[in-house]
């Protein structure tokens, strides 16, 4: 699987040289695409002399978002990596990120840890100059092999994205001009589409930080940050970081069971991680259904079967405590498409919608709106 590595340059040739050399030393199965944004220090001549680099030259600085989008148009890979030129990569950096990115189809974007960035990806380091970089990175990655964490925000200094995700949510928004907040904007769109974002702890990259921004003539980084924060707020109607870190809507799962021991585990495990409480109302099972259910939730209730079909459903609904309720049949297995849609709703739903259809006749019901019989059970009974 080829990864298209997209790097933007604007002068800073010594940094670009070190970055490309580190990629060549520590990376396999990739293509290099460099978008130059108006360099005047010999960067373009150097890039044009590199046989393994696809070069696109802009005669002026068109900004980070525009340059990255130009790179995407040139890219042939199924996976796109956006990488700053003020970085130095280390052993197994890309392959370890790819492992996490494709471990789950719901993962949309991943990033490494580093010595310098904002947010969750910065870790303490013990080296003081680049001579100690490789040994530190090797030790850190061995100690954190296979480790990752879900986050709400990844920083664009090194961002690995499935191309299919970009096809769905769109590329960088060029309204952010020279740069900053376009990565936050992309993360928010991914989250609102139900994708997971992960930091990969066994991928380490050295990052200088703001190497280009700090040398742009006539540009003040603080003013640019303020301007783009305002642009993001205008676009989304609220501070973008408030939206990224907003509390997720909470959901109770309700299920009516009877003699379901052969199917219960598979049903519950298909949604277990995405709900905040599980309510099981059993109609008098004679097998191990109740014992199995108690492995997943303490909220298991015995409700004698009776002629009133709606009674156990009303009872289950009454036990729920979270703002929204979702119904699951005892043999129903939710697909990844369903889970992705549910996660999107948890991120975007305002607490004033009484009923929200998901897919396959399944819906979220606001508990305050009152009981509503699940569609699939109307006219049916569990035997």
């Amino acid at each position: 699987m080829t990864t298209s590595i997209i790097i933007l340059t604007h002068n800073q040739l010594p940094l670009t040289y070190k970055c490309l050399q580190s990629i060549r030393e520590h990376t396999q199965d990739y293509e290099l695409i460099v978008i130059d944004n108006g360099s005047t220090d010999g960067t373009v001549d150097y890039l044009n002399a590199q046989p393994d680099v696809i070069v696109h030259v802009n005669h002026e600085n068109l900004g980070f978002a525009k340059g990255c989008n130009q790179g995407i148009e040139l890219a042939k890979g199924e996976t796109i990596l956006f990488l700053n030129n003020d970085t130095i990569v280390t052993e197994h950096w890309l392959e370890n990120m790819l492992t996490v990115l494709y471990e789950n189809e719901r993962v949309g974007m991943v990033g490494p840890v580093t010595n310098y960035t904002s947010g969750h990806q910065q870790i303490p380091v013990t080296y003081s100059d680049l001579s100690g970089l490789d040994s530190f990175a090797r030790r850190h990655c061995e100690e954190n092999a296979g480790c990752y964490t879900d986050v709400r925000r990844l920083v664009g200094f090194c961002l690995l994205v499935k191309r299919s995700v970009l096809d769905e949510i769109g590329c960088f928004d060029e309204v952010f001009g020279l740069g900053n907040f376009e990565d936050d904007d992309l993360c928010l769109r991914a989250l609102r589409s139900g994708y997971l974002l992960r930091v990969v702890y066994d991928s380490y990259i050295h990052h200088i930080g703001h190497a280009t921004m700090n040398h742009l003539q006539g540009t003040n980084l603080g003013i640019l940050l303020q301007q783009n924060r305002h642009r993001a707020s205008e676009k989304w109607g609220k501070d973008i970081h408030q939206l990224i870190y907003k509390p997720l809507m909470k959901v109770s799962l309700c299920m009516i069971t009877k003699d379901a021991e052969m199917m219960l585990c598979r049903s519950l495990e298909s949604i277990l991680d995405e709900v905040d409480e599980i309510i099981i109302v059993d109609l008098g099972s004679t097998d191990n259904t109740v014992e199995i259910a108690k492995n997943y939730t303490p909220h298991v209730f015995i409700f004698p079967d009776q002629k009133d079909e709606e009674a156990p459903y009303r009872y289950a609904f009454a036990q729920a405590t979270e703002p929204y309720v979702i119904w699951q049949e005892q043999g129903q297995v939710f697909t990844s498409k369903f889970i992705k849609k549910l996660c999107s709703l948890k991120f975007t739903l305002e607490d004033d919608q009484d009923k929200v259809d998901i897919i396959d006749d399944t819906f979220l019901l606001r508990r305050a709106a009152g009981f509503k019989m699940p569609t699939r059970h109307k006219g049916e009974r569990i035997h």
Side-chain angles (χ1 to χ4, degrees):
M1 179 184 298
T2 298
T3 299
S4 298
I5 301 175
I6 298 173
I7 300 173
L8 271 60
T9 54
H10 178 78
N11 297 322
Q12 305 298 322
L13 176 56
L15 297 182
T16 301
Y17 175 82
K18 290 180 180 179
C19 178
L20 296 187
Q21 288 299 98
S22 71
I23 292 171
R24 290 163 177 149
E25 180 179 357
H26 296 298
T27 320
Q28 296 179 338
D29 198 6
Y30 65 94
E31 65 173 0
L32 271 174
I33 300 170
V34 179
I35 309 297
D36 185 78
N37 267 336
S39 291
T40 57
D41 66 344
T43 292
V44 173
D45 290 339
Y46 164 74
L47 293 173
N48 284 332
Q50 307 304 303
D52 60 341
V53 178
I54 300 168
V55 183
H56 177 85
V57 177
N58 296 318
H59 297 294
E60 60 181 322
N61 192 346
L62 300 182
F64 183 82
K66 178 65 175 181
C68 287
N69 291 346
Q70 289 175 327
I72 294 169
E73 293 179 3
L74 296 171
K76 298 182 177 65
E78 300 172 28
T79 313
I80 308 295
L81 178 79
F82 304 104
L83 183 67
N84 283 12
N85 70 327
D86 63 342
T87 57
I88 298 176
V89 305
T90 64
E91 189 177 13
H92 304 305
W93 71 291
L94 181 55
E95 61 195 85
N96 289 348
M97 282 198 291
L98 285 169
T99 297
V100 175
L101 184 66
Y102 286 97
E103 180 265 341
N104 185 321
E105 61 184 294
R106 281 197 50 233
V107 179
M109 306 192 295
V110 302
V113 291
T114 185
N115 61 300
Y116 182 84
T117 188
S118 62
H120 315 279
Q121 293 170 260
Q122 182 169 322
I123 62 171
V125 301
T126 56
Y127 63 93
S128 57
D129 57 59
L130 293 180
S131 64
L133 170 60
D134 287 337
S135 60
F136 169 83
R138 186 176 300 110
R139 182 173 63 255
H140 169 82
C141 292
E142 288 174 353
E143 292 172 352
N144 292 274
C147 296
Y148 61 81
T149 189
D150 291 339
V151 296
R152 300 279 191 91
R153 176 175 177 263
L154 293 167
V155 183
F157 77 96
C158 179
L159 185 60
L160 186 65
V161 189
K162 293 173 182 172
R163 184 164 203 143
S164 60
V165 172
L166 294 175
D167 291 340
E168 178 182 343
I169 70 173
C171 300
F172 285 110
D173 190 338
E174 296 174 16
V175 73
F176 294 103
L178 288 178
N180 287 300
F181 284 92
E182 66 287 303
D183 48 0
D184 295 301
D185 177 81
L186 191 71
C187 289
L188 181 55
R189 281 184 276 140
L191 291 167
R192 290 170 71 92
S193 295
Y195 286 106
L196 297 171
L197 280 56
R198 288 179 173 171
V199 172
V200 182
Y201 286 112
D202 58 358
S203 175
Y204 181 83
I205 291 178
H206 179 79
H207 182 213
I208 294 174
H210 303 304
T212 297
M213 284 292 180
N214 287 337
H215 290 84
L216 288 178
Q217 293 185 354
T219 299
N220 181 288
L221 179 58
I223 294 175
L224 183 61
L225 285 168
Q226 184 178 9
Q227 290 173 339
N228 278 355
R229 180 184 290 273
H230 179 68
R231 288 184 178 119
S233 296
E234 284 189 325
K235 174 177 179 177
W236 292 100
K238 188 179 288 187
D239 180 82
I240 191 169
H241 289 160
Q242 289 182 17
L243 292 173
I244 287 174
Y245 292 109
K246 67 170 287 190
L248 295 182
M249 176 266 293
K250 292 191 174 183
V251 179
S252 297
L253 173 73
C254 291
M255 180 188 290
I256 310 301
T257 60
K258 187 172 182 181
D259 296 332
E261 67 176 8
M262 300 300 293
M263 61 186 77
L264 188 58
C265 290
R266 189 161 176 256
S267 290
L268 291 176
E269 287 175 3
S270 72
I271 196 172
L272 179 64
D273 293 336
E274 310 305 335
V275 293
D276 301 281
E277 104 180 322
I278 297 174
I279 308 296
I280 303 288
V281 173
D282 188 78
L283 301 183
S285 293
T286 57
D287 60 7
N288 293 317
T289 296
V290 171
E291 289 73 16
I292 293 171
K294 288 180 179 178
N295 291 327
Y296 291 91
T297 174
H299 309 298
V300 181
F301 306 92
I302 308 301
F303 194 92
D305 199 2
Q306 54 187 273
K307 293 181 180 179
D308 182 358
E309 179 192 2
E310 289 194 2
Y313 295 94
R314 287 195 301 268
Y315 183 80
F317 188 84
Q319 307 311 310
T321 63
E322 300 298 355
Y324 279 85
V325 172
I326 187 172
W327 294 98
Q328 184 181 21
E329 297 181 43
Q330 63 179 19
Q332 184 178 11
V333 176
F334 289 124
T335 64
S336 58
K337 180 180 178 181
F338 178 95
I339 297 298
K340 182 170 173 287
K341 179 68 180 294
L342 175 61
C343 291
S344 174
L345 287 171
K346 288 172 65 177
F347 205 92
T348 59
L349 193 62
E350 299 297 334
D351 192 23
D352 59 358
Q353 293 177 254
D354 290 344
K355 180 176 177 291
V356 184
D357 291 315
I358 308 180
I359 57 175
D360 298 331
D361 295 325
T362 305
F363 56 83
L364 281 172
L365 183 68
R366 190 162 68 102
R367 194 164 53 85
F371 172 75
K372 180 178 177 60
M373 188 73 168
T375 304
R376 285 176 174 242
H377 290 300
K378 288 183 177 179
E380 301 176 3
R381 288 181 61 81
I382 294 179
H383 300 287

